[in-house]
């Protein structure tokens, strides 16, 4: 098995009109729980991770690099930061924000634009690149709204994910065929 390593550095980052382009996802799964009457109910839980720079929880996200699509970047960030793999099933929208820590020569004001996706988790890894820095938390949507560190992520959860959830969670992105990839 090859060792999983996180990408580092900014030399391949994408920028557009003064914005650093970010890709991320809201990982989710279904849990069957029994309500008070003993009837099983399907409940959606979302995965959040701790921030390495302060309180509150985040969804996996990071720089979208020149050699990948936004979808590939979102999947990579989910694996690197949260240790999960799965299927991107829906595009949740693009969310602009201003970062205090991501200011550089291409985006001196720290402007970022995040493409966010819903990722149906198929696998939770025991080891992943940022395991020593991150803790995973599975939360209901209302719990996640209350724990979300960043306003723009809360907006992605409330306006993107929750609207999609209320509309029936129809998959809008094609499924990948992993059958010809080597492990």
């Amino acid at each position: 098995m090859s060792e999983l390593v996180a990408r580092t550095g900014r030399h391949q980052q994408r920028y557009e009109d003064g914005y650093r382009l970010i890709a991320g996802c809201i990982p989710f799964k279904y849990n069957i729980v029994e309500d008070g009457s003993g009837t099983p109910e399907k409940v959606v839980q979302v995965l959040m991770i701790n921030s390495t720079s302060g309180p509150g929880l985040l969804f996996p996200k990071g720089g979208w690099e020149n050699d990948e699509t936004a979808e590939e970047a979102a999947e990579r960030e989910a694996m690197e930061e949260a240790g999960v793999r799965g299927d991107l099933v829906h595009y949740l929208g693009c969310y602009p924000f201003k970062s205090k820590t991501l200011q550089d020569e291409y985006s001196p004001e720290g402007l970022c634009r995040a493409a966010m996706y819903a990722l149906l988790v198929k696998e939770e890894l025991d080891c992943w690149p940022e395991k020593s820095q991150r803790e995973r938390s599975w939360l209901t949507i209302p719990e996640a709204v209350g724990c979300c560190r960043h306003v723009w992520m809360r907006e992605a959860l409330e306006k993107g994910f929750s609207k999609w959830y209320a509309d029936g969670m129809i998959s809008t992105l094609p499924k990948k065929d992993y059958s010809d990839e080597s492990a």
Side-chain angles (χ1 to χ4, degrees):
M1 180 178 163
S2 66
E3 187 177 331
L4 300 173
V5 179
R7 287 185 172 196
T8 58
R10 299 237 173 110
H11 59 282
Q12 291 193 62
Q13 298 290 291
R14 289 181 188 239
Y15 293 85
E16 183 178 273
D17 300 327
Y19 284 84
R20 179 171 178 241
L21 302 183
I22 304 288
C25 64
I26 297 178
F28 73 97
K29 68 180 180 180
Y30 300 101
N31 269 346
I32 305 298
V33 296
E34 290 194 23
D35 64 11
S37 67
T39 306
E41 181 184 355
K42 194 172 170 180
V43 174
V44 170
Q45 289 185 307
V46 296
L47 178 67
M48 298 188 82
I49 54 177
N50 65 298
S51 169
T52 59
S53 63
L57 297 177
L58 314 168
F59 295 110
K61 58 89 183 113
W64 168 13
E65 299 190 356
N66 291 326
D67 64 343
E68 61 190 351
T69 65
E71 292 87 356
E72 290 167 338
E75 290 174 324
R76 176 179 52 78
E77 291 294 340
M79 187 280 298
E80 288 178 1
E81 293 187 350
V84 293
R85 290 189 177 130
D87 295 329
L88 292 179
V89 294
H90 184 69
Y91 174 65
L92 300 172
C94 187
Y95 299 88
F97 65 98
K98 186 172 182 175
S99 173
K100 293 177 184 171
T101 59
L102 298 177
Q103 298 168 343
D104 59 27
E105 65 183 293
Y106 302 107
S107 180
E109 295 180 29
L111 300 176
C112 298
R113 197 165 35 229
M116 293 294 287
Y117 298 87
L119 177 105
L120 176 58
V121 173
K122 301 284 187 165
E123 179 182 13
E124 288 184 58
L125 304 172
D126 291 328
C127 293
W128 67 95
E130 296 186 19
K131 179 179 180 167
S132 65
Q133 303 159 36
R134 305 283 190 181
E135 291 181 24
R136 299 186 282 212
S137 299
W138 285 102
L139 306 164
T140 64
I141 294 171
E143 289 170 336
V145 167
C147 294
C148 204
R149 176 178 177 159
H150 299 298
V151 172
W152 72 268
M153 284 188 180
R154 190 175 318 115
E155 186 178 317
L157 179 60
E158 291 178 317
K159 293 183 180 172
F161 190 89
S162 294
K163 180 181 181 326
W164 175 65
Y165 175 74
D167 289 345
M169 299 180 87
I170 305 299
S171 292
T172 59
L173 296 174
K175 284 189 177 182
K176 280 191 173 179
D177 180 13
Y178 296 104
S179 60
D180 58 336
E181 287 187 14
S182 58

